[in-house]
Amino acid sequence: MTTPLTRPAHVQAELLATGEISAVELTRAHLEQIEALNPTLNVFLHVDADGALEAAAASDGRRRAGQPRSPLDGVPVAVKDNFCTVGMPTTCGSRMLEGWVPPYDATVVTRLRQAGLVILGKTNMDEFAMGSSTETSAFGPTRNPWDVERIPGGSGGGSAAAVAGCLAPLALGSDTGGSIRQPGAVTGTVGVKPTYGGVSRYGVVAMASSLDQPGPVTRTVLDAALLHEAMGGHDPMDSTSIAQPLPMLAEAARRHDVSGLRVGVVKEFGGEGYDPDVEARFAEAVTWLREGGAEVVEVSCPSFEYALAAYYLIMPAELSSNLARFDAVRFGLRLGDDGDNDMETVTSVTRGQGFGREAKRRLIIGTYALSSGYHDQFYGSAQKVRTLVAQDFEEAFVRCDVLVSPTTPSVAFRLGERMSDPMAMYKADLCTIPSNLAGNASASFPVGLSEAGLPVGLQVIAPPLADDRLYRVGGFLEAHLEQLGGPLLAQAAPLPGSKAVW
């Protein structure tokens, strides 16, 4: 049979369960795809071929014994390079951690290993998750499988491109201001930011601790729900982890029904600055929801106008605190230590050469925002705006079960196009940032293509702990899109050298 690289992860799992393909064969097929396409896409920073094949062989043994650990046992997965992994480097896309191998696994990684998933390797990302294009990585940019001259989004462009290019059926991402959802939108993949505290942050290298949230990156809604269920739930190692079970996510993904659901269209997300194609696909998807029996109303959230400014004070401030640990003393890069320099000089030289331009920009902003005399004026004011954003959400969810908007104002832009204009880059996360400030659940789902053949995503936002509503809406949109023309990925041409057959 043709190796099912393009099949959804849950279908790959079914083929494993029936014995039509082995985990070793499936893993080898993905490793061949990585070997063929990674030189072009620069998706993986590290590939653990031996470890993956060993894990796959163990999965096959469990299947033969009738003892699979989970529905996804034996299915390959890629891991964003800010998750700690035993036996594999964790660099966060930065020279500061080049070659560093953690002594422990992140909780999420542990749970995936326990569920029997096969870890292929670590994916590229913007340095310490600072970026919207995966161009700030110290190890070169990742390219979008839909058009290799365009960005795959960021900071988790590596995970999104891995899934979109069929180098992996599943991937882990982390979302601080849109780093799962925005890459999902521009690569035609499903990207979910769970409720803050719904998935453990333990072992995820911190960027902004009150905003960071791990989540799934997949090709279908059901795949995302299954991966979310495998990775989520309470973790006593994470003080912000929510001590209650996850809702029934996979069941919600299988419903394909939105009748009776109250859907709010966020008034502030549209108009000037939004691509006409993005707005057209979004309007069509809202029509699908209305025709499917949902009640659609317009909702105004006036504080969202200030969310971007507040985020770019809160995030750099927390970043400044978190990255202070990279001091050339305890671990990571160490430069300038020639025996004559004092520790302050060594730290200064190491940080000066180890951090990239965008990292330095944000560190300077964050340190300034926390400095004496400016803390209340900047950081304190931003936290007040954060409260207003959360209140806007609370008021909106009194009227609506979910909110919807475009995921990002534009389709994938060209590599290098916004590198000299930080504000243009930051605006890629205009629609996604409010959910991080408020801590609620949100996701991006594919809803079609632009006139140029590039993916467009729709964002669904749910109240905290109502993650199942994301999957209910996403499952409906996906089913409707398939009725119109098949799965979104089927509309893309395989890249030269690809082992996948669309």
Side-chain angles (χ1 to χ4, degrees):
M1 64 174 292
T2 302
T3 305
L5 285 176
T6 61
R7 301 286 190 91
H10 67 273
V11 175
Q12 294 184 16
E14 291 168 3
L15 296 174
L16 291 170
T18 60
E20 292 182 54
I21 191 170
S22 71
V24 168
E25 290 171 333
L26 187 60
T27 300
R28 282 204 179 108
H30 283 95
L31 290 172
E32 289 175 4
Q33 181 81 334
I34 293 169
E35 184 178 4
L37 296 188
N38 205 54
T40 299
L41 298 177
N42 195 30
V43 163
F44 280 89
L45 297 181
H46 177 81
V47 178
D48 184 20
D50 291 341
L53 290 170
E54 183 179 341
S59 175
D60 285 334
R62 291 191 295 272
R63 292 276 186 190
R64 286 193 294 271
Q67 298 176 332
R69 292 178 177 174
S70 77
L72 295 175
D73 196 335
V75 177
V77 62
V79 177
K80 188 178 180 181
D81 202 27
N82 59 344
F83 288 80
C84 288
T85 45
V86 171
M88 284 182 275
T90 296
T91 71
C92 295
S94 177
R95 295 291 181 196
M96 289 295 285
L97 284 175
E98 187 172 9
W100 180 64
V101 179
Y104 66 99
D105 277 337
T107 293
V108 169
V109 173
T110 297
R111 288 180 175 175
L112 296 191
R113 293 191 200 273
Q114 290 172 343
L117 279 83
V118 175
I119 297 176
L120 296 169
K122 308 295 288 293
T123 58
N124 201 7
M125 58 183 285
D126 282 300
E127 183 177 15
F128 285 105
M130 288 180 265
S132 302
S133 63
T134 315
E135 291 177 282
T136 71
S137 170
F139 308 107
T142 294
R143 295 173 181 272
N144 192 326
W146 289 81
D147 180 347
V148 296
E149 298 304 318
R150 295 180 184 267
I151 59 99
S155 65
S159 287
V163 172
C166 297
L167 287 76
L170 303 167
L172 294 186
S174 64
D175 193 309
T176 304
S179 292
I180 291 174
R181 290 162 289 156
Q182 186 252 2
V186 301
T187 60
T189 54
V190 174
V192 179
K193 184 200 83 68
T195 296
Y196 182 81
V199 176
S200 174
R201 293 185 300 110
Y202 179 76
V204 184
V205 179
M207 178 189 175
S209 302
S210 73
L211 301 165
D212 299 341
Q213 186 56 214
V217 181
T218 65
R219 286 196 290 274
T220 72
V221 178
L222 178 57
D223 288 354
L226 292 170
L227 185 57
H228 190 162
E229 289 181 342
M231 66 197 287
H234 179 60
D235 176 19
M237 298 295 287
D238 177 2
S239 63
T240 61
S241 180
I242 298 171
Q244 68 180 63
L246 294 172
M248 304 296 286
L249 306 178
E251 180 179 303
R254 292 186 174 101
R255 281 190 66 174
H256 300 173
D257 170 43
V258 292
S259 57
L261 206 65
R262 297 172 299 165
V263 177
V265 176
V266 181
K267 175 184 175 183
E268 284 71 20
F269 291 148
E272 185 178 354
Y274 286 73
D275 284 0
D277 283 349
V278 169
E279 292 204 304
R281 298 294 85 75
F282 174 70
E284 289 169 1
V286 171
T287 298
W288 302 344
L289 293 170
R290 186 181 288 110
E291 291 173 348
E295 177 189 350
V296 178
V297 297
E298 185 178 79
V299 173
S300 179
C301 298
S303 297
F304 287 10
E305 179 182 351
Y306 310 106
L308 185 71
Y311 174 84
Y312 276 100
L313 284 169
I314 295 169
M315 175 272 295
E318 295 188 13
L319 178 78
S320 172
S321 177
N322 279 323
L323 266 60
R325 72 193 67 182
F326 300 106
D327 55 8
V329 176
R330 286 164 285 189
F331 56 88
L333 188 67
R334 185 183 181 96
L335 300 173
D337 187 10
D338 58 7
D340 295 326
N341 291 328
D342 58 20
M343 199 60 243
E344 184 176 349
T345 301
V346 171
T347 300
S348 179
V349 171
T350 300
R351 289 175 172 170
Q353 297 184 36
F355 286 126
R357 183 179 180 86
E358 182 62 25
K360 292 175 185 175
R361 178 186 289 118
R362 298 193 192 196
L363 286 168
I364 291 169
I365 292 171
T367 303
Y368 184 80
L370 292 176
S371 62
S372 177
Y374 295 101
H375 180 280
D376 289 341
Q377 180 181 354
F378 293 114
Y379 184 73
S381 296
Q383 291 289 13
K384 292 175 183 177
V385 172
R386 184 178 196 170
T387 299
L388 294 175
V389 169
Q391 289 174 350
D392 276 359
F393 273 123
E394 289 174 7
E395 292 174 9
F397 286 129
V398 170
R399 296 180 56 201
C400 304
D401 298 308
V402 296
L403 305 179
V404 294
S405 76
T407 307
T408 187
S410 70
V411 295
F413 47 89
R414 295 190 179 278
L415 288 161
E417 188 175 298
R418 301 188 184 181
M419 287 299 287
S420 60
D421 187 350
M423 276 307 300
M425 185 73 78
Y426 297 164
K427 287 179 179 178
D429 296 330
L430 197 65
C431 303
T432 53
I433 280 171
S435 283
N436 295 90
L437 292 175
N440 52 30
S442 53
S444 178
F445 302 108
V447 288
L449 302 174
S450 71
E451 292 297 325
L454 296 170
V456 175
L458 175 143
Q459 179 177 224
V460 181
I461 307 169
L465 303 177
D467 300 50
D468 54 324
R469 298 183 195 175
L470 304 177
Y471 292 102
R472 180 180 173 187
V473 176
F476 170 83
L477 292 171
E478 181 178 78
H480 196 90
L481 190 65
E482 288 179 358
Q483 289 175 4
L484 293 177
L488 190 61
L489 274 170
Q491 300 174 39
L495 288 163
S498 173
K499 305 297 181 180
V501 179
W502 272 270

